[in-house]
Amino acid sequence: MDFVEKIEPIIIFFAIILGLLFSNVGIIAQNTGNLITPFLCLMLFGLFLEIPLNELKNSFKNVKFSLTSLIINFLWTPLFGYFLGTLFLKGNIDILIGFFMLILTPCTDWYLVFTKLAKGNLTLSLSILPINLILQIVLLPIYLIIFFSNGISLDYPQLAYSLLIVIVIPFIASQIVKFILKDKLRDKVINSFGSLQIWFLSLAVFCIFASQGKLLYSNLESIVKIFIPLIIFFTANAIIDLLLCEKINFTYPEYASLTMTTLARNSPLALAIAINSFPSHELIAMALVIGPLIELPILYIISRFCLWIKNSGLFFVCGNF
């Protein structure tokens, strides 16, 4: 975990603050909105470069781990997330959708950092990454239609166009680059874009808040409400992971890996889809940007909790921990 990874929440926070400050500068507020999608596409291009799709077959080698992770991420989490959202955010459909999109998308990058911190099985965590990415891209539009087609007017052509622009094109471009470049140059490009992802994301966040600062000021109370269901989500799922791993006799490294795989969320990908799918619903994007400010510190706390369980000796009561 390098220095930049450690301070990612701080970088995002400062991007928000700078965006809000510059939202009062007319020429910046009027033009930064056009830069959001390009920055997000560059970020996702770098992400797709790092995804080892050739290892997709490895996702199911540990059947018990893979099935448990997929059931939690794509069956339990959508239902639990929708319940929490309607319970705490029912008065604002845009904030509710933003919260739901955040909850529904398992992380494909920094969960590995927290898995390492918790001394989980990195190889196991990495093996589930490709299938998590594919399923969230496929299922996110489906779940939006199932849960929100009556609450908001979904523009299906716009949703399809959004997936084309921010997912399909960066994904194809990344695979072409990996296919064309030779080993050393390919690794150099992948590493370069990998280190730039947080900066592309921060630039996109800056543009969002610079162009929509006034909207945030007028809806600050509603957006802050997203913190309550997020805290409940992370706390409840952390407890469920622990109890479930005891029940099915996971080892400690498997437990730590499952916890981070099922808790960390992929807000950048959800943000890219939201920006382009709901162009007239800026609060959805706002909710997705606010999410990581509480998610990343909580993941760090939970990684320390996992280590405490391991080091305190309490894990000996949990099957093969």
Side-chain angles (χ1 to χ4, degrees):
M1 187 178 189
D2 61 28
F3 178 72
V4 173
E5 289 174 327
K6 290 180 180 179
I7 63 170
E8 278 188 0
I10 299 175
I11 295 173
I12 295 173
F13 177 75
F14 274 103
I16 292 174
I17 297 300
L18 287 175
L20 291 174
L21 291 175
F22 280 96
S23 67
N24 296 314
V25 181
I27 189 171
I28 294 179
Q30 294 168 10
N31 293 284
T32 47
N34 297 324
L35 299 174
I36 299 171
T37 296
F39 283 135
L40 288 173
C41 286
L42 286 169
M43 180 209 65
L44 290 174
F45 171 75
L47 171 63
F48 293 146
L49 279 175
E50 294 182 320
I51 303 298
L53 290 180
N54 59 327
E55 297 182 8
L56 185 61
K57 61 181 181 298
N58 294 330
S59 295
F60 295 101
K61 283 189 174 180
N62 187 323
V63 176
K64 184 167 65 172
F65 177 87
S66 298
L67 286 180
T68 304
S69 173
L70 294 177
I71 289 171
I72 293 175
N73 272 326
F74 296 107
L75 289 179
W76 160 251
T77 292
L79 296 174
F80 186 44
Y82 184 74
F83 168 76
L84 289 175
T86 52
L87 184 63
F88 291 97
L89 306 169
K90 192 174 182 179
N92 194 315
I93 187 65
D94 286 356
I95 301 297
L96 172 57
I97 291 176
F99 169 78
F100 185 77
M101 292 182 71
L102 175 64
I103 291 299
L104 191 61
T105 49
C107 184
T108 54
D109 44 26
W110 57 47
Y111 81 101
L112 294 172
V113 173
F114 293 103
T115 300
K116 185 176 180 180
L117 278 177
K119 299 189 183 304
N121 186 328
L122 273 176
T123 302
L124 193 60
S125 294
L126 187 61
S127 73
I128 201 69
L129 191 157
I131 192 66
N132 272 348
L133 176 67
I134 292 172
L135 282 179
Q136 65 186 272
I137 291 173
V138 172
L139 293 176
L140 181 56
I142 295 174
Y143 277 123
L144 286 174
I145 293 170
I146 292 174
F147 288 109
F148 298 106
S149 58
N150 293 327
I152 190 172
S153 179
L154 289 175
D155 188 337
Y156 300 115
Q158 181 64 36
L159 184 59
Y161 176 76
S162 169
L163 293 174
L164 173 66
I165 295 298
V166 300
I167 302 296
V168 177
I169 292 178
F171 174 78
I172 292 176
S174 69
Q175 301 309 304
I176 291 174
V177 167
K178 287 200 288 187
F179 178 76
I180 293 176
L181 298 182
K182 294 183 179 179
D183 292 344
K184 290 185 178 179
L185 182 56
R186 181 174 64 242
D187 292 342
K188 186 176 181 180
V189 170
I190 291 174
N191 291 333
S192 297
F193 269 92
S195 63
L196 289 173
Q197 284 181 48
I198 180 58
W199 302 111
F200 287 136
L201 175 59
S202 297
L203 285 169
V205 169
F206 167 81
C207 292
I208 291 171
F209 282 87
S211 60
Q212 302 295 335
K214 293 181 180 178
L215 180 68
L216 174 67
Y217 290 132
S218 60
N219 292 274
L220 188 58
E221 183 179 349
S222 296
I223 292 176
V224 170
K225 288 180 180 178
I226 198 174
F227 284 1
I228 299 174
L230 269 179
I231 292 173
I232 295 174
F233 167 78
F234 288 121
T235 303
N237 270 19
I239 295 171
I240 289 171
D241 286 336
L242 179 60
L243 296 177
L244 190 60
C245 287
E246 177 183 6
K247 189 73 173 177
I248 58 182
N249 295 318
F250 270 12
T251 64
Y252 173 80
E254 289 174 329
Y255 154 68
S257 294
L258 182 74
T259 298
M260 296 307 159
T261 302
T262 55
L263 291 186
R265 301 292 94 189
N266 192 1
S267 54
L269 184 139
L271 177 62
I273 295 175
I275 288 291
N276 291 274
S277 300
F278 305 102
S280 59
H281 297 268
E282 294 86 354
L283 285 177
I284 296 177
M286 292 283 187
L288 284 164
V289 171
I290 294 294
L293 294 182
I294 192 168
E295 174 191 359
L296 295 179
I298 285 181
L299 288 177
Y300 177 78
I301 292 171
I302 292 176
S303 71
R304 306 309 298 179
F305 172 74
C306 291
L307 284 176
W308 177 79
I309 290 176
K310 181 178 187 295
N311 295 330
S312 66
L314 293 179
F315 63 87
F316 283 114
V317 303
C318 301
N320 294 323
F321 273 32

